[in-house]
Amino acid sequence: MCGIVGFSSKTTSAVGPLVNGLSRLEYRGYDSAGVALASAEGLRIYKQTGKVAKLAQLLERALPERERAKYTLGIAHTRWATHGLPTVANAHPHVADGGRLALVHNGIIENYAALRAGLEKRGVKFLSQTDTEVLAHLVAAFDKGDFLAAVCDALKRVEGTYGLAAISARHPGEMVVARKGSPLVIGIGEKDVVVASDVSAIVAYTRQVIYLKDGDVAMITPDGVDIHSLDNAPVAREVQEVDWDLGAIEKGGYEHFMIKEIFEQPEALANTLRGRLDAANGTALLSGLNLSPRELAAVRRLVIVGCGTSLHAGMVGKYLFESLADVPVSPEQAAEFRYSNPIVGPDDWVIALSQSGETADTLAAVRESIRKGALVSGLCNVVGSTIAREAGRGVYLHAGPEISVASTKAFTAQVTALLMTALKLGRTRRLSREAGDRLVSEISRIPDLVGKVLEQNDAIAAVAQKYAQANDLFFIGRGILYPAALEGALKIKEVAYVHAEGYQAAELKHGPIALLSEKTPVVALLANIPGKEKTLGNVQECRARNAPVLGIVTAGDASAKAVLSDAIEVPATGVELSPIVSVVALQLFAYHVARLRGCEIDQPRNLAKSVTVE
Ligand code: M6R
């Protein structure tokens, strides 16, 4: 949530890199945006509500090209509002010391009210309602000539989370950045240093990066980077190479990132699978799990934690692990889990699912599980992310960067990774060699099967026209397709702003069926797996109430189609793969409905890609 960029150079103007960086991070929040630019004459601040493009226009008007060269140092921010409305006053950067100090922040300062009251008593005037402004004034108050020390002293008074960057006219050429709980990456270019909340804002300049860890504070100048602890002890952090390039984070001819990422799935899933299937032994390799057969055999219970789409993938995981590995599984919403004083211990294996690897509640669940002595693994997409690092073991999804706020390829990659993990766990327990062989061959078909669903794109776009006007939709599924129904409902809610609910197919008649009418369509997940006939019975109940029913059916399933108003075909698969092909169809359906309704698909209102606050 919120994106931070900082740029420091001896020769290059910071204006372009800061605005470009913000546009790459806009998916993290888009309520307002701002920059602070430093020159020998002091700081200049520009802020605007709305998207980065509006800030860019403001800069075009306010700062002619010839004036930009003198600003070789700057910080910038795109905001997802937590404290205070999305106004210009609440937009970052926030200033202190009479406009000589500027600071941008991602995270939440939990004790800001007490800190603010203390500062106000000492005569400080606040200009915003944000928690961040407190930080700016605190740093100014502690500045006795050493900028880094001032930031450290301020941060020692702070409870909460932060990724921050600060500059001050009293300290020309210096930028101080710090991290606790909110990601911050430093890119080391040949002549410039770029700081950002994630590497997507950095790869245009360099692929050499340092991932700051919690408690790190760094002094950045055009000459380099010095990292310290809050107690000012020097800290060494490894420079790593990012393994993807700019092309991966651009639209590449697609109208939206969402559709690009949906279409990337065959390749993304091939990357998730690469080198991980062991056909010789009917199992999966997954060396990153770093668990011996003895440790795997000792697992008594699995807990899968995540939020949103990742939680839905985890719910699919329950069916996979229980059927393949005979181990009981509790999928848990990460926030509920962390605050429930969870009963987990050394016999339990906690798997944290997170595309970003930065979701605050999932991270807290990881920490709580580690504290309680459970085995903990992370299934993350973003390499080097906090959850991946703190879990210490796990499976990277390798699905490539996901920019659209609506998660698509991460879901199918998560289910694929869970399926391989379940296969591996199953094969250390009771799953037979024959069953393992069948699954290896089935799993290796995933990229092609997903490609077949994508061939239905035009047909799905045509069906979407019939449903795009509905204001309410129900999604129903049974067994392993129930979480797929939840995911279908979530996708259409967030990108098309259609009220949608996912239900177990059998649950509809216990209440929600009262809402059905010819204006309330139902989307039924009817891939040909055990239980389908029963769901078809539920479809009949919906039709009897005049509700139009769109079915996601296995290609050629004439008997299912006969009871439906409309159908989208997916290729035949075994049970385990049915949520993957069904959800890809639902992703396309949500995308086309959103497009027909004229929605802002990649950046839906009120949302942000990475939820780093509780
Ligand atoms: O990065 P994570 O997978 O931890 O994110 C979890 C959710 O915030 C995320 O899946 C969210 O629900 C998406 N907007 C769904 O499309």
Side-chain angles (χ1 to χ4, degrees), residues 14 36-37 59 125 175 265 333 553 582 592:
L37 300 166
L59 289 167
K125 293 267 173 289
M175 168 171 34
Q265 287 177 104
Q333 204 281 342
V553 302
S582 303
H592 289 296

Side-chain angles (χ1 to χ4, degrees), residues 4-24:
I4 291 176
V5 193
F7 187 82
S8 164
S9 172
K10 274 196 178 125
T11 50
T12 310
S13 165
V15 181
L18 289 175
V19 174
N20 289 342
L22 282 189
S23 330
R24 305 259 182 231

Side-chain angles (χ1 to χ4, degrees), residues 307-310 353-357 359 405-407 490-491 494 611:
C307 301
T309 290
S310 294
L353 288 184
S354 176
Q355 186 287 128
S356 61
T359 299
V405 166
S407 190
L490 175 61
K491 282 292 88 80
E494 63 181 334
V611 184

Side-chain angles (χ1 to χ4, degrees), residues 223-439:
D223 295 322
V225 177
D226 264 328
I227 307 177
H228 298 257
S229 68
L230 270 191
D231 296 321
N232 217 348
V235 169
R237 297 277 173 244
E238 193 191 344
V239 178
Q240 300 182 31
E241 176 143 349
V242 180
D243 65 356
W244 44 268
D245 59 21
L246 209 51
I249 51 164
E250 293 189 327
K251 284 191 199 149
Y254 286 92
E255 194 179 342
H256 299 101
F257 279 111
M258 183 179 178
I259 191 73
K260 176 187 178 232
E261 287 158 10
I262 291 173
F263 270 84
E264 274 172 356
Q265 287 177 104
E267 193 190 334
L269 295 168
N271 288 335
T272 307
L273 293 175
R274 198 173 311 285
R276 286 170 163 173
L277 288 176
D278 177 4
N281 296 297
T283 186
L285 295 166
L286 306 178
S287 56
L289 284 179
N290 201 15
L291 292 170
S292 66
R294 186 180 282 268
E295 285 171 304
L296 288 171
V299 170
R300 288 285 149 264
R301 187 174 69 117
L302 252 155
V303 179
I304 306 182
V305 293
C307 301
T309 290
S310 294
L311 174 63
H312 298 155
M315 292 170 77
V316 172
K318 172 181 168 68
Y319 293 88
L320 299 174
F321 281 101
E322 290 190 345
S323 63
L324 300 175
D326 282 334
V327 60
V329 183
S330 319
E332 304 268 358
Q333 204 281 342
E336 294 296 318
F337 175 82
R338 64 178 287 203
Y339 287 117
S340 63
N341 192 14
I343 305 170
V344 285
D347 292 342
D348 300 313
W349 185 11
V350 176
I351 297 183
L353 288 184
S354 176
Q355 186 287 128
S356 61
E358 302 293 347
T359 299
D361 285 320
T362 311
L363 175 60
V366 163
R367 289 177 176 161
E368 183 66 13
S369 304
I370 292 173
R371 251 192 303 273
K372 293 199 153 148
L375 279 178
V376 180
S377 301
L379 261 68
C380 300
N381 193 33
V382 176
V383 174
S385 55
T386 312
I387 292 172
R389 284 192 281 106
E390 294 205 10
R393 50 159 71 99
V395 181
Y396 276 122
L397 303 179
H398 296 311
E402 195 180 66
I403 306 293
S404 169
V405 166
S407 190
T408 54
K409 60 181 178 172
F411 175 86
T412 49
Q414 283 168 335
V415 174
T416 302
L418 285 169
L419 181 50
M420 287 191 286
T421 311
L423 169 62
K424 185 178 170 80
L425 185 63
R427 290 285 292 124
T428 59
R429 297 153 88 99
R430 288 192 42 244
L431 195 72
S432 70
R433 173 66 200 265
E434 291 68 32
D437 286 347
R438 177 191 72 78
L439 272 165

